[in-house]
Amino acid sequence: MLFFAVVGPGLITAMADNDAGGVATYSVAAALYGMSSQYFIIITTLLLAVTQEIGARIAIVTGKGLGDLIREHYGVRTAVGLFFVYFFVNQGVVLQNVTGLKSAIQLFGWPWQPVLILACLLLVLLVISLNYKNLQRIFLVTILFYGVYIFSAFLSHPNWGEAIKHSLILPERAFLTDLHYWFALIAVLGTTVTAWGQFFVNSYVADKGLKTEQLNQERAEVYAGSFITNFFSWMIAVAVTYTLFAHRIIVTDGFKAAQAIQPLAGHLAYSLFATGLLAASFLGLTIVPLATAYVFTELFGYERTLNASFLKGRVFYTFFILQIALGLGVALFPKINLFGLTLYADYLNGAMLPVIFYFLIRFSEDKTIMGEKYISKGFASWFLKLSAVVITLAVAATFFGRLFIK
C-alpha cells in the first residue's frame, strides 16, 4: 500500500520516454541490426534509474522543481538561456508525437485529419479539466496498452535464446566493426534517457507533494519504471527483429514498421503494433508539453500545478496548449514527415543531458539544499558523474557520426 501511494512519477516519466519517437528509433534500429540493437539496454536501464531517482529525491527534499532551483541559484539570465534551448528541443519532440498519433490513426484506416484534431482537443480538455490524481489514472491506464508489444513479440515467433544472447551477452560479430551499428546504439540510448524526462520527473514529484518518509517507496517506483520501460523497448525490438530484420526489410519509422509487419506476422500483430504506437503517441504528446510548461512556469515564477483551475494556472495551461497547437498546425499538412524534420532535435535533446546532469550533481550534493542525510554519495554520486562524461562522448560521437557516416 505504501508503494502504490507513490506510484506515478517514476513509472509515467520512464514510460513516456518510449513515445512515438522512441518506438520509431527502436523499430529502425532493430530492422537494421536485430536484437544486437538492444546491447546497451542494461546500461540504459541503470542510467535512467539513477538519474531519475536523484531528480525525484531533490524534489521530495526541497518540494521544488528543478526549474525553481535553477532560477533561485543561478539567476534569470541562466534560466532564460536554458529555457530557449529547452523549448526548441522539446517542440521537436512534440512534433514527433503528433506525427506518431497521425500515423497510428492512418494505420487504423480512419480519416486522419478530423480524428487528429478531435484527439488533440480531447487531450487538451482532459489536462485542463482533470486534477492531478485523475489525470495520473489516465496516464497509468494508457501505460497498460504498451502490453500489446508483448503479444506482438510472441506473434513474431522469436528464438528467445538467440534474442537474449545478442542483446545481453554478445552482439552479432558482423556488427562489431560497423560504425553505423555503434551510431544506432547511441541513438537507442539517447531516445530513452531524455533531457525533458529529467525535468518532468522532478516537477511531477514536486506536484504530487511526496514527503521524505516516502523516499524509499518512490525510489523503488523509479527503479521499477526504468526496468518496465526498457522491457517494453526490448519487446518492440523482438517483434521487429523476427519479422523485418529476418527478411532484411529496412524501415524509416514506426508507421512503416507496422505496415511491413502485417504480411509477415499477420493482421493481429499489425493491429497490436499500431495500438502500441497510438498509446505511445498519446502519452508522449501529453507528457512532453507538460514538461515544458512545468519548466517555463518554474523558471519564471508562475503558478504550476495540475491541481490549479485554468484561471489560476492560466500561464501553465496556455503554454501547454500552445505547444499542442503548433504541432497540430504543422502535422495537418499531409506531405510533411515530422520524423525527418525533428531528427536534429533528438540530437540536441541528447546534447542537453550533460547540462541537466550538471545541475543534478550540484543540487544533489549541496548540503545546504539537501541536508546531510539526503545528499548524493557513493554509487549514485559517481555513477551520475560518469554518466555525464559518457553522454557527452556519446553526443560527440553522434554529431560526428551524422556528419561522416552515411
Side-chain angles (χ1 to χ4, degrees):
M1 293 300 295
L2 289 172
F3 175 79
F4 284 109
V6 304
V7 163
L11 181 59
I12 290 169
T13 306
M15 289 303 298
D17 286 327
N18 284 353
D19 60 359
V23 172
T25 300
Y26 301 138
S27 300
V28 172
L32 288 168
Y33 302 108
M35 291 309 300
S36 299
S37 65
Q38 290 285 307
Y39 191 60
F40 279 173
I41 192 168
I42 294 177
I43 295 174
T44 302
T45 304
L46 282 172
L47 180 59
L48 184 62
V50 169
T51 54
Q52 296 209 329
E53 184 277 331
I54 290 174
R57 174 154 41 90
I58 291 172
I60 289 174
V61 173
T62 65
K64 298 175 180 178
L66 192 58
D68 289 319
L69 293 171
I70 291 172
R71 172 174 49 83
E72 290 175 6
H73 291 270
Y74 290 90
V76 175
R77 287 187 178 181
T78 300
V80 171
L82 181 64
F83 179 76
F84 179 79
V85 177
Y86 183 82
F87 173 77
F88 177 77
V89 172
N90 267 25
Q91 191 58 38
V93 182
V94 171
L95 293 176
Q96 282 185 322
N97 283 291
V98 175
T99 293
L101 188 58
K102 171 183 172 180
S103 298
I105 293 168
Q106 289 174 318
L107 287 171
F108 284 108
W110 301 331
W112 69 267
Q113 286 175 318
V115 175
L116 181 62
I117 294 171
L118 287 174
C120 290
L121 287 175
L122 175 63
L123 189 151
V124 168
L125 288 174
L126 287 174
V127 171
I128 291 175
S129 60
L130 298 180
N131 60 20
Y132 179 99
K133 184 178 292 186
N134 290 328
L135 196 59
Q136 178 174 275
R137 288 170 181 165
I138 292 178
F139 292 155
L140 293 174
V141 170
T142 303
I143 287 171
L144 296 177
F145 284 93
Y146 280 85
V148 299
Y149 287 122
I150 299 175
F151 297 104
S152 187
F154 274 94
L155 289 170
S156 70
H157 305 293
N159 181 332
W160 294 107
E162 180 185 72
I164 292 171
K165 175 186 175 181
H166 288 159
S167 61
L168 301 180
I169 302 172
L170 184 68
E172 294 189 46
R173 292 184 180 180
F175 300 144
L176 293 178
T177 56
D178 185 351
L179 291 178
H180 294 81
Y181 169 65
W182 296 102
F183 176 76
L185 288 185
I186 292 169
V188 171
L189 174 68
T191 198
T192 305
V193 185
T194 61
W196 66 261
Q198 306 307 314
F199 271 103
F200 183 79
V201 71
N202 190 276
S203 301
Y204 203 58
V205 166
D207 207 355
K208 192 177 180 73
L210 298 180
K211 305 300 181 185
T212 52
E213 54 265 26
Q214 297 170 302
L215 185 58
N216 288 334
Q217 289 76 31
E218 179 55 27
R219 181 179 291 116
E221 195 244 353
V222 166
Y223 291 164
S226 300
F227 171 81
I228 292 170
T229 189
N230 280 325
F231 172 74
F232 284 125
S233 70
W234 194 80
M235 284 296 182
I236 293 171
V238 170
V240 173
T241 295
Y242 291 95
T243 51
L244 308 188
F245 177 73
H247 292 82
R248 297 299 186 264
I249 298 173
I250 306 302
V251 295
T252 56
D253 56 56
F255 174 73
K256 292 179 180 177
Q259 284 185 316
I261 281 175
Q262 184 173 15
L264 300 173
H267 185 72
L268 179 57
Y270 164 87
S271 299
L272 291 172
F273 204 93
T275 301
L277 180 60
L278 182 67
S281 303
F282 181 84
L283 189 63
L285 190 54
T286 310
I287 299 300
V288 178
L290 279 177
T292 312
Y294 271 130
V295 172
F296 178 79
T297 49
E298 288 173 4
L299 287 175
F300 300 106
Y302 291 103
E303 178 74 25
R304 67 103 180 95
T305 174
L306 288 167
N307 287 320
S309 65
F310 181 80
L311 289 177
K312 188 176 180 181
R314 57 187 177 275
V315 174
F316 176 80
Y317 290 118
T318 299
F319 209 84
F320 171 79
I321 295 169
L322 175 65
Q323 296 168 82
I324 303 291
L326 288 174
L328 179 61
V330 177
L332 288 175
F333 290 95
K335 294 185 179 180
I336 290 181
N337 180 357
L338 295 179
F339 280 114
L341 288 176
T342 58
L343 183 61
Y344 293 100
D346 286 335
Y347 296 119
L348 285 175
N349 202 348
M352 282 192 69
L353 280 175
V355 178
I356 307 305
F357 287 178
Y358 168 80
F359 290 118
L360 288 178
I361 292 168
R362 290 297 302 268
F363 295 143
S364 67
E365 296 185 356
D366 190 329
K367 294 180 182 180
T368 61
I369 295 174
M370 300 294 292
E372 181 69 36
K373 184 177 180 181
Y374 299 110
I375 61 171
S376 289
K377 50 190 173 183
F379 175 79
S381 179
W382 70 256
F383 190 77
L384 181 59
K385 294 173 183 176
L386 177 63
S387 299
V389 174
V390 170
I391 293 294
T392 302
L393 294 175
V395 168
T398 302
F399 175 75
F400 288 108
R402 288 300 300 169
L403 287 179
F404 300 116
I405 301 176
K406 303 297 182 183

